[in-house]
Every structure is written in structure tokens, then in C-alpha cells.
Amino acid sequence: MRDVSRPSSYLESSRVQPLGPDLAHTRPRPLHWVATAAAVAAVIAGASVLEPSGAKATTATSASAPRTGGLPAAKAPDPRTADYPVDCGRARPDVTDRASADLDGDGRPETVAVVRC
């Protein structure tokens, strides 16, 4: 049976938080926000300082492109002549889109193709 001598809001709040003084985390002050912002900034700064040595987010230009040992530049593979692991029955796979670039940094272009039956 419900205790009618106390308002229902009192009963609801007692389920959420124990009776007595408010807990510290229920009343954030500006110092809490500053401490949180400083902690987030420290994590971001630490991640940028401790990145792996091989992590480079650059694009290869003609001056910085790897050398092919004096060989002529290779042409990208033709996606229409490639074999695809797609079962189209008697029909050949249809190349709907393609892109060629040096994807692995070895100086030779690779081709990526989108195919369908």
C-alpha cells in the first residue's frame, strides 16, 4: 500500500538517489566542465603525439612519387580484361565504374572496378 503522507515526487526521488545530501556529480560546477575539457584536450594531444611513425596522410606528387628504377611508367590494368569472382551464368560481368591509381605506393598503378551481372 502506498504511503499517502508523503508526496509522490518524494517517493520517486528516493528511488533514484539515496536520501541525504546531494551527491557531488549531481551538481556540476564550472570547475567540473574545465576539468572535463582539459582531459579531452589531453587525450587528443596525446593521440597526435603518439601516432605510429609510418602514419602519413599525404598524396604522392611527381616529385615525391616512388621511383620505378628507370623503367617506363606502367599502365593501369584494363578492368574489361580481368577475371572477376562473380557468377553471372553465361553473361560476362559488366564494368559499371573504374578508377586507377597507385594504391599501395609501389610506383605501379592499380585498378579498382565496380562490376555487376
Side-chain angles (χ1 to χ4, degrees):
M1 178 173 234
R2 190 176 145 197
D3 183 9
V4 292
S5 64
R6 295 186 176 171
S8 64
S9 62
Y10 173 81
L11 293 174
E12 290 297 319
S13 66
S14 67
R15 292 182 194 157
V16 177
Q17 179 176 320
L19 299 177
D22 285 341
L23 299 175
H25 69 275
T26 61
R27 289 178 286 120
R29 293 185 174 82
L31 179 62
H32 294 114
W33 293 109
V34 170
T36 301
V40 169
V43 168
I44 292 172
S48 65
V49 170
L50 299 174
E51 72 180 15
S53 62
K56 303 288 184 230
T58 60
T59 57
T61 60
S62 61
S64 65
R67 302 188 186 262
T68 57
L71 299 173
K75 291 182 71 177
D78 186 10
R80 292 173 295 201
T81 62
D83 232 358
Y84 298 103
V86 179
D87 184 16
C88 295
R90 298 172 120 180
R92 285 187 49 96
D94 180 30
V95 177
T96 60
D97 200 5
R98 66 179 178 192
S100 298
D102 181 13
L103 301 175
D104 57 4
D106 64 354
R108 296 177 304 193
E110 290 82 28
T111 300
V112 177
V114 178
V115 296
R116 67 176 180 193
C117 291

